[in-house]
Amino acid sequence: MPASHRGILIPLTLAAPLPERVRRSSLADQDLSVVNARLESRVEALEAARENLDDLLNAAGIPILALDMNLNIRWFTPAIEALIELTPSDIGQPAAGFARKFDDARFLDDARAVLQGHPPLEQEVQGEGNRWYMRRTVPIHTRDGYASGLVTTFVDTTRRHEAFDELHRILEAAPDPTVVIDISGRIERANAELLRVFGYSAKELIGRPVETLMPERFRRKHRTNVRGFFASPQARPMGEGLTLFAITKDGREFPIDVKLSPTHIDEHFVTIGAIRDITKQKGLEDRLHGNQRILERRVAERTVELQRLQTELHRAMRLAELGELTTGIAHEITQPLTAIRSYMEACQTLLAMDDFASAKDLGRKALDQARRAIDIIQNIRAMAVATENRRSAQDINGLVNDATLLMIAGARDRQIEMELSPAPGLPLVVADRVQIQQVLLNVLRNAIDSVSEVSRRRIMVETRRGNDSMVEIAVVDTGPGVPAEIAQRLFQPFVTTKAGGMGIGLSLSRSIIEAHDGRLTFANRHSGGTEFIIALPPAETG
Ligand SMILES: Nc1ncnc2c1ncn2[C@@H]1O[C@H](COP(=O)(O)OP(=O)(O)O)[C@@H](O)[C@H]1O
Ligand SMILES: [Mg+2]
């Protein structure tokens, strides 16, 4: 056997015998020698080709075993020795008879199946020294299409195996359920934690689409997302900003975070998906939200409580004011009463002296003082009424109209021009009609008093919508304005600049307006005169 044939035994039926036959032929003419020469050169070419093929197969170091239709050994490459104990003398012997060094119970069954027309079969097998091979069995056919045997190649996949072993170790070390999916989105591997959490066996899960782990309603969308992901794979969290859900084999759903890491494992492209159950985190979030709601409710409760306290404080302050007021009233009433007593004592003396004219004069003075006392008492009664509730929705323009009507006659007598400027479409206000009219009359009376001191006497009453949507009544006069020395105390009881004034009007008015959640304010105008503004909240609609 030529040296180049060592180990690779491909029987060539065309080989040595042909040129001899040709030479031995009785037709030894020129033509034949030409044919002969041609054939010889073809044989040489074939020899050379076979040598090349031998060299190639030797150099590749790939274990290859060729069997014939009876599963007898036809040829093999030297590398096959790593897997089967064979020597060149074994050619023609049944493949079943040789000691195999690899662990593969299906080897001959697969060979038979392929011979019977099954497409090529692959099987990963383990050989000596912890090496792995992909055993691939393919049929070979004659030119006219008949099966003539098969070739089994063993491609060393040890490195890939090691890589996968490494991956496996990483997967198993991962604390979270983790899957490896291939580029078609099928589950290639799953760690024990994933199987435990989802309740599947590896057999049930491997090869299934990764959507198996998701609730039905997310699956279709996810399939398109997977395609997008593999178009430009990048490590990223899945479904950013969304709450993702997983579903276990027995239908339990739970919220998850998924981190995707595309990677190559020995030429093989996969994506590793680490799945984290965030039920607890979600629970915390929900609890946090719950706590926030509780806090908000407490704040609201406290606010109500504070408002109640504030109202109480207000009332207490008003009571204190009332105390002050009572002292003031006592003082105010004592004055006319003392005067009346003095007048009546003097009156008695004068009557005893038959001085009827003087007695009559003192009697009139006593009567004036009595009237003053009654005035004071009436104002106090009005203040007591302010705490009673007789409120209803009021049309402010109508109310203003009624109140001014009462004043117009008196104003005309004093040559005062009164103008009314009602705004249309104002909302109603909820108010005690009599009380608001009383306030308006107080303010108007003050305005009349103020313009009486000047020559240009004009009072304008305007209704309007305030900036803060309050309904306002403004009373503008052309008087001298509020004196600076009382501007700060204007609304305190018994503050007056008038000779016969009691200084109760504005104090009482403010109490009434504030009891209506409104405001009573004033401002001196640049053009001279004063503007008093009664602001009331509009009735709530709906
Ligand atoms: N329109 C006004 N222009 C100028 N001063 C005013 C006006 N309204 C009220 N005042 C001042 O406020 C004081 C208090 O008014 P009020 O409480 O009504 O008491 P009284 O009218 O009895 O004085 C008045 O004495 C006056 O000095
Ligand atoms: Mg007054």
Side-chain angles (χ1 to χ4, degrees):
M1 192 181 300
S4 67
H5 286 189
R6 203 178 350 103
I8 302 172
L9 298 160
I10 307 175
L12 269 177
T13 43
L14 258 179
L18 194 53
E20 300 252 339
R21 266 209 318 266
V22 172
R23 230 175 285 135
R24 263 189 252 113
S25 170
S26 54
L27 306 165
D29 59 11
Q30 296 248 309
D31 288 348
L32 268 181
S33 73
V34 171
V35 170
N36 188 23
R38 265 194 213 143
L39 278 173
E40 263 183 0
S41 74
R42 273 187 65 188
V43 166
E44 270 166 29
L46 273 171
E47 289 269 3
R50 191 177 63 183
E51 278 172 26
N52 282 342
L53 188 65
D54 288 351
D55 290 345
L56 188 73
L57 291 175
N58 279 334
I62 298 171
I64 304 176
L65 177 66
L67 302 179
D68 65 18
M69 294 297 287
N70 301 314
L71 300 181
N72 293 331
I73 292 168
R74 279 176 69 188
W75 56 267
F76 52 84
T77 58
I80 200 75
E81 281 161 24
L83 293 156
I84 310 173
E85 283 170 16
L86 284 180
T87 60
S89 60
D90 293 322
I91 288 178
Q93 300 299 313
F98 298 101
R100 287 201 302 266
K101 300 175 182 173
F102 64 97
D103 185 15
D104 181 10
R106 299 185 46 82
F107 174 56
L108 287 171
D109 287 343
D110 281 4
R112 274 184 211 108
V114 168
L115 277 184
Q116 279 158 22
H118 199 285
L121 282 169
E122 279 190 346
Q123 174 73 41
E124 191 132 68
V125 299
Q126 200 171 12
E128 274 187 331
N130 230 356
R131 298 205 75 78
W132 285 88
Y133 301 88
M134 179 60 79
R135 172 189 35 85
R136 183 174 160 83
T137 305
V138 301
I140 40 178
H141 299 101
T142 57
R143 274 206 180 167
D144 38 11
Y146 291 107
S148 66
L150 46 84
V151 168
T152 300
T153 52
F154 294 86
V155 174
D156 193 329
T157 55
T158 309
R159 260 190 54 198
R160 184 169 149 190
H161 246 269
E162 281 167 0
F164 272 109
D165 279 352
E166 182 68 27
L167 174 68
H168 183 77
R169 275 195 297 278
I170 292 167
L171 286 188
E172 291 310 322
D176 292 325
T178 306
V179 277
V180 176
I181 59 173
D182 65 18
I183 60 168
S184 69
R186 289 184 184 278
I187 298 173
E188 209 164 77
R189 267 150 209 272
N191 69 356
E193 181 60 7
L194 184 128
L195 299 176
R196 186 187 70 74
V197 168
F198 284 79
Y200 288 101
S201 68
K203 217 169 152 192
E204 286 172 310
L205 213 52
I206 306 305
R208 298 265 297 272
V210 69
E211 287 82 19
T212 310
L213 304 176
M214 298 171 189
E216 185 74 46
R217 60 184 184 283
F218 298 118
R219 289 183 187 168
R220 255 189 56 200
K221 180 91 181 24
H222 187 259
R223 284 230 56 78
T224 35
N225 289 354
V226 165
R227 254 172 261 139
F229 177 75
F230 281 112
S232 69
Q234 268 177 345
R236 64 167 169 87
M238 187 168 131
E240 215 159 359
L242 300 173
T243 301
L244 303 169
F245 285 92
I247 190 163
T248 62
K249 187 183 171 186
D250 53 17
R252 184 177 65 83
E253 280 191 23
F254 57 92
I256 53 164
D257 261 354
V258 180
K259 207 157 148 245
L260 300 173
S261 320
T263 181
H264 277 96
I265 294 173
D266 192 43
E267 310 284 289
H268 182 67
F269 183 76
V270 294
T271 292
I272 301 170
I275 302 167
R276 177 158 291 180
D277 181 344
I278 55 165
T279 308
K280 264 199 197 140
Q281 224 168 301
K282 273 295 233 190
L284 276 180
E285 251 171 57
D286 290 348
R287 276 228 296 286
L288 218 62
H289 280 187
N291 281 346
Q292 198 178 327
R293 275 196 294 279
I294 290 171
L295 275 178
E296 274 167 11
R297 206 171 50 231
R298 280 202 195 138
V299 167
E301 282 168 7
R302 276 290 155 82
T303 308
V304 170
E305 173 83 5
L306 275 176
Q307 275 167 350
R308 195 180 60 75
L309 286 176
Q310 204 176 15
T311 313
E312 259 175 29
L313 190 69
H314 231 93
R315 199 187 302 155
M317 273 164 65
R318 278 181 58 192
L319 280 177
E321 268 173 30
L322 210 65
E324 247 173 66
L325 198 64
T326 315
T327 318
I329 290 163
H331 175 73
E332 290 293 309
I333 293 178
T334 306
Q335 271 187 344
L337 284 181
T338 310
I340 290 169
R341 193 182 62 189
S342 315
Y343 290 140
M344 293 326 279
E345 279 169 358
C347 207
Q348 270 182 327
T349 313
L350 287 170
L351 285 173
M353 290 159 61
D354 287 340
D355 183 352
F356 295 110
S358 300
K360 195 181 166 194
D361 185 42
L362 286 184
R364 203 173 36 78
K365 283 186 173 162
L367 192 62
D368 276 351
Q369 292 300 319
R371 283 204 183 107
R372 180 170 159 77
I374 288 166
D375 264 3
I376 294 169
I377 303 291
Q378 268 176 349
N379 272 307
I380 293 161
R381 275 184 54 204
M383 203 177 273
V385 164
T387 58
E388 284 175 27
N389 199 352
R390 284 176 309 193
R391 291 184 195 172
S392 57
Q394 299 294 332
D395 162 32
I396 278 295
N397 286 337
L399 195 150
V400 168
N401 206 47
D402 293 353
T404 40
L405 262 180
L406 291 173
M407 306 298 289
I408 270 176
R412 205 184 293 121
D413 290 347
R414 300 197 202 186
Q415 287 92 45
I416 297 167
E417 190 190 324
M418 264 184 94
E419 193 194 323
L420 223 67
S421 170
L426 286 177
L428 300 177
V429 297
V430 175
D432 182 322
R433 190 178 180 84
V434 177
Q435 286 182 0
I436 302 300
Q437 277 186 337
Q438 199 183 338
V439 171
L440 197 51
L441 290 180
N442 277 334
V443 173
L444 281 169
R445 212 173 281 139
N446 286 345
I448 287 170
D449 287 348
S450 79
V451 294
S452 299
E453 296 175 27
V454 295
S455 53
R456 186 166 164 255
R457 301 174 176 178
R458 190 159 179 270
I459 296 170
M460 190 181 62
V461 184
E462 184 187 57
T463 60
R464 63 193 181 205
R465 196 82 195 253
N467 288 337
D468 50 359
S469 86
M470 299 280 264
V471 179
E472 293 183 353
I473 307 167
V475 177
V476 186
D477 63 58
T478 53
V482 176
E485 63 271 21
I486 64 152
Q488 300 296 318
R489 301 178 291 122
L490 205 61
F491 295 98
Q492 289 173 12
F494 308 116
V495 171
T496 179
T497 52
K498 296 167 194 168
M502 287 200 296
I504 279 178
L506 288 181
S507 156
L508 179 62
S509 297
R510 183 170 260 188
S511 298
I512 291 171
I513 297 302
E514 283 181 353
H516 281 79
D517 297 321
R519 289 186 309 263
L520 175 60
T521 53
F522 82 95
N524 281 334
R525 290 165 68 95
H526 299 302
S527 50
T530 312
E531 174 172 19
F532 275 81
I533 300 164
I534 301 163
L536 291 165
E540 272 170 35
T541 50

